[in-house]
Structure formats: C-alpha cells, structure tokens
Amino acid sequence: MNTVRADILQNLKRVVIKVGSGVISTAEGLDGVMIAQLAEDICDFCARGIEVILVSSGAVAAGRNSLGIAGRPKTIPQKQAAAAIGQPRIMRAYKEVFQRHNRVAAQVLLTRDDLSNRRRYLNAHNTFDALLEYGVTPIVNENDTVVVEEIRFGDNDNLSAQVASLMEVDLLLILSDVAGFYDGDPACDKGAQFLPLIEKITPEVMAMAGSSRGTLGTGGMQTKLQAAQKASLAGIPTMIVDGRAPGILRQVIEGDEVGSLFLASASKLSARKRWIALTMQPSGKLLLDDGAVRAVADSGKSLLPTGIVVVEGDFERGDAVHICDRNGIPFAIGVASYNSVELRQIKGHRCAEIEQILGYQYRDEAVYRDNLVLIGDTVEEVEA
Ligand code: GLU
C-alpha cells in the first residue's frame, strides 16, 4: 500500500461517504441491489470502528417515475415533488439493510441556509455528534422539497464537503459513476489519462474537469473537484472512486490503489474560518486599492474602509463578502462589519471619520482580520 493512503487509512476514525444518484438509481428508479450493497459496506465500516456519515442523493431519481417523468425533471416544482416522493423511499431502502445489522439510520435534511447561519450550523454539529455517539448512521440529503435555490444551484458534492468540514472527518469518500479523475472526459476522449493522485487542485486541474454532468445527478466532475477543494482547505483528503464497482468500499479500506486521491492542504483553516470560507454565501463584493490588497493579502491586516474603492451588492452587517482587487478578482472572503449602504458612505475614508459620516461607529475595520479568510487564486472554485 502506498504510504499516503496508508497514513490516511491508519487514522481513519470518521468518514463522510457521498453517493450520487448515478450510482444508486437507474432510469427505472432506485437500484435496490446497489443500495443494499452500499448499506452492507457501510455496516462493515462501522464494524471496523469507523464512524460513517452518509450523504445520499437519489431522492429526485427515486420519485420522478411516480410522476410519470422520464429523464431529469425540468421544472423546480417537478423536482421538489419528485424529491418529496423519493426521499422516504431512499430511507426505507437503507433502513431495511441496516436493520439486519442491528444498526439505526437517521435522516438529516439540510439546506444551504441552515449551514450559513452560525447558530444553526453549530446546532447541526451537535445533532450529528449525538447521533454518532449513539452509534446511529446519519443519512444526509439536501432538503430539496423546501428550498428552491437548493435544487437550482445545490449539489450533494458541495454539501458532502460542508458536512465533512463541519464534522472534521478524516476522509471524504465520493462514490461516483466514474473510476476517478481523468485529465479529460473519458466518455468522449479516449486518450484521457487517469490521475490516481492529485496533490493540489490548481486552476489547471480544475480546467481538466470540464463541465461534464451525469444524466441522473446534479453535479459533474467539476462539483466533485469543488468538494475536494473545500475538504482540502478543511484539512481533509478526498477520494473519488467508482461506486458501482463491486467491493469498492472494501478495496478502499484495505488500501487498494483504486480511484483518485486528492490530498488535504498542509495548512488547515480554523473552525470559524472554515465556516466563513466554505459555508457562508458571499452576497457582495468589496474592491480594494492596491495598498489595501497588500495590507490584507500579504501582511494579514484587517480591511479598513479607507482601502475600499467600490462596494458591490446589497448586504447586511454580518453577511459574507468577497474581498477583491481593483479588477474585481476575489482573493478573500470576509464578514462585513458594516452593511453595504454604510460601506458606500465610509469607503475611502479614515477610521476617525466614520462616526462623523454615519453618526455612529461599530468598529474601525470594515472587515476584521479574524473574520477574513485568504483564499487566493482558488476563491472562485471554493465559493462555487
Ligand atoms: N438532492 C438531490 C436528490 O437527492 C440530488 C442532488 C445531487 O445530485 O447532487 O435527488
């Protein structure tokens, strides 16, 4: 076994396994055989003392046939209706196998909104903790039926990375319908090379993922790379393997050279900074002058109003914003200390002038440095 994999597996106490619709469903609906195999394998992980959080797609795929829809539902209400029908079917399918192993599964439905709110984020953490403590396997999906945005933009690859970061797991294991990561799309490019080890997700690596999409799931390889990148910033390695290959989870756990392994970044972000960079949705942009870019990016300083040239978007105090150079290229994400209206008034001004302009002052900084995460040239992929 190669040493990188050996290290990861030796320290494997907690894992997020993400399974896509393409793995556990067919054109007819849920693939009972695949689900049974997966559930058996998860029970095997648990029997080895590894805590598993499963992020399972498939709700839409499991429900759409009951609506008489062939292929991917087109409208949002169709997707939501299909998900509402399909979600209990998924849970029932997993539960049947778990019961044979005396294991209990719990359904956890999350929205992006839930995790963007710090209090609810921490609350979700406590819920997962309690479930794992009781030996229960959480089965997570997006709460598709209630969140329009979620279906339109959400994908379970990114959700799985956020859960991985929230629960500080040791590995994010993505079960896909391809064998791993290639430098091209193997479906249409016969010369595409398989890459077993990716040390860093650079923009070049990102470009190799193209924009491929499966027919049943929401994300393609690009969203899997975004997930791997988020996990990496949280200090978590990611493996992408062929979820339909028989015995794949056993091969992974025994250290076989299957799939593609993405290494974690050497510098793991703190818990609060992980939440800011990986989970909050920036709702505006602050464009800075060159001096402020240097102060923030190179010297680790807070962002003062004087360095802000342009304020884009409407946001509240406490919302996340992209912090950009004067061309609008983001290099950091931070939590704004003032709302967009206030920042438009105080931009370009010294701290001493804030109170005079606004009639009050919360603090000197527009974004305090503890609320600011540098993500350099990776920001666009990270934010996704
Ligand atoms: N949450 C969706 C479902 O369960 C799938 C999202 C995805 O494929 O990433 O059907």
Side-chain angles (χ1 to χ4, degrees), residues 38-58:
L38 174 60
E40 292 283 351
D41 289 344
I42 289 173
C43 291
D44 177 49
F45 267 48
C46 298
R48 293 170 191 248
I50 300 168
E51 290 176 330
V52 178
I53 299 170
L54 176 65
V55 175
S56 180
S57 304

Side-chain angles (χ1 to χ4, degrees), residues 22 28 69 106 134 162 189 193 200 205 210 231 251 288 345 349:
E28 277 73 54
I69 299 170
Y134 282 95
Q162 297 199 9
D189 174 6
Q193 292 285 316
K200 188 165 191 270
V205 170
Q251 287 176 289
L288 314 190
Q345 291 174 265
H349 288 278

Side-chain angles (χ1 to χ4, degrees), residues 18-22 24 55-63 72 79 82-83 86-87 90 140-144 150-151 154-159 216-220 223-224:
K18 185 264 167 180
V19 61
S21 306
I24 54 160
V55 175
S56 180
S57 304
V60 174
R72 197 197 283 264
K79 285 180 189 168
Q87 181 61 27
I90 299 184
V140 186
N141 198 355
E142 293 186 31
N143 198 353
D144 294 325
E150 218 53 37
I151 284 187
D155 64 80
N156 278 3
D157 295 321
N158 277 293
L159 173 63
L216 295 168
T218 302
T223 57
K224 289 178 181 51

Side-chain angles (χ1 to χ4, degrees), residues 278-334:
L278 309 186
T279 307
M280 286 187 93
Q281 291 296 308
S283 40
K285 273 187 170 187
L286 304 179
L287 276 55
L288 314 190
D289 65 27
D290 299 343
V293 171
R294 278 196 299 277
V296 171
D298 302 338
S299 312
K301 297 257 170 51
S302 295
L303 171 62
L304 302 178
T306 182
I308 302 175
V309 189
V310 177
V311 177
E312 287 182 6
D314 295 318
F315 50 87
E316 294 302 322
R317 178 175 179 229
D319 283 352
V321 286
H322 271 135
I323 299 171
C324 311
D325 64 16
R326 53 167 81 241
N327 299 317
I329 308 294
F331 65 92
I333 292 178

Side-chain angles (χ1 to χ4, degrees), residues 260-276:
S260 298
L261 172 62
F262 298 77
L263 298 187
S265 147
S267 50
K268 176 180 168 179
L269 294 172
S270 71
R272 184 174 162 78
K273 291 204 169 189
R274 283 205 310 274
W275 174 68
I276 293 171

